[in-house]
Amino acid sequence: QVQLVESGGGLVQPGGSLRLSCAASGSRFSIVVMGWYRQAQGKQRELVATITNGDNTNYADSVKGRFTISRDNAQNTVYLQMNSLKPEDTAVYYCRTVGPGGNYWGQGTQVTVSS
């Protein structure tokens, strides 16, 4: 069983920045893909960004050029640097890992962009 612990959410003004972290523990196998998804109130959960263990990245069009995903394979940790935040980025952000050991989700962390 893999445990994911997210941190770094909060309230920020438009144009501001936040950095999310997600630490995975308990995995007996190498984690192939780590990623971030988000779910705004009343909307479906959507992909934000993913990164493979080979550092291949994929971003939603809405965050390209503003968000950067990175990972520390030794620490099984994934980060999401979010810059130039907009009110429409407000959502609960979820960490996800995928690998031979299975598919796991974090508990979510709230990001609110508001003046």
Side-chain angles (χ1 to χ4, degrees), residues 12-114:
V12 64
Q13 291 186 342
S17 298
L18 283 175
R19 188 190 194 212
L20 305 183
S21 300
C22 173
S25 62
S27 178
R28 296 175 56 195
F29 304 97
S30 176
I31 296 173
V32 179
V33 181
M34 303 185 82
W36 291 95
Y37 292 71
R38 67 186 181 187
Q39 188 166 17
Q41 194 168 6
K43 295 187 177 181
Q44 290 188 333
R45 191 172 298 188
E46 63 178 4
L47 179 146
V48 177
T50 60
I51 184 168
T52 69
N53 53 3
D55 285 338
N56 292 311
T57 58
N58 180 47
Y59 293 92
D61 287 343
S62 59
V63 307
K64 283 181 181 176
R66 300 187 298 122
F67 291 10
T68 303
I69 190 169
S70 60
R71 66 186 281 175
D72 181 336
N73 290 326
Q75 300 294 326
N76 274 344
T77 300
V78 62
Y79 305 96
L80 186 69
Q81 178 66 44
M82 305 185 293
N83 298 328
S84 302
L85 282 160
K86 304 175 181 179
E88 50 264 44
D89 294 318
T90 295
V92 178
Y93 284 69
Y94 296 90
C95 174
R96 182 188 184 194
T97 63
V98 179
N103 173 14
Y104 296 92
W105 291 89
Q107 80 285 355
T109 184
Q110 177 71 45
V111 171
T112 302
V113 185
S114 175

